[in-house]
Amino acid sequence: NRLQELLQKEDGNAKPVLFAEDCLDAQSQVDALVEGQVLVLENVRFYKNESSKVEDERMIMAKQLASYGDLYVSDAFGTAHRNAASVTGIPVV
């Protein structure tokens, strides 16, 4: 995949880029990562808590996503203005 190709160019080593089909149930995949591996999560917009009007529901999702690691990258620039779990929730956690 393209991300794996780009990462390989950086340091010359091919590191697998893994995919979590359920971003709210990816802890076992996160736990199995070894140094240098990347886990890409399913699109968060598929989950009702992402855009729930109830802040507690958004924060449940934000806490789960934040628990997976030290770094979270959102490439959804077009949604940066939304009050969503992955946009406004994760930075609060």
Side-chain angles (χ1 to χ4, degrees):
N1 71 39
R2 182 68 176 137
L3 179 56
Q4 188 167 330
E5 290 172 14
L6 291 171
L7 292 173
Q8 183 175 359
K9 287 180 184 177
E10 280 293 312
D11 68 6
N13 295 319
K15 296 188 175 68
V17 174
L18 308 170
F19 179 72
E21 292 184 19
D22 185 348
C23 72
L24 294 181
D25 188 27
Q27 190 62 56
S28 62
Q29 289 172 281
V30 170
D31 292 342
L33 290 172
V34 297
E35 186 174 334
Q37 285 184 319
V38 174
L39 179 65
V40 175
L41 302 177
E42 177 58 90
N43 188 333
V44 295
R45 295 190 69 197
F46 293 153
Y47 298 85
K48 67 178 184 150
N49 284 8
E50 169 67 0
S51 58
S52 173
K53 297 197 183 308
V54 179
E55 183 176 5
D56 288 344
E57 291 177 359
R58 290 192 313 272
M59 290 308 292
I60 288 169
M61 182 173 183
K63 287 177 184 175
Q64 184 63 36
L65 293 172
S67 75
Y68 293 148
D70 299 324
L71 187 64
Y72 176 80
V73 178
S74 174
D75 66 350
F77 179 76
T79 63
H81 66 284
R82 294 187 179 154
N83 190 10
S86 65
V87 177
T88 58
I90 292 176
V92 173
V93 175

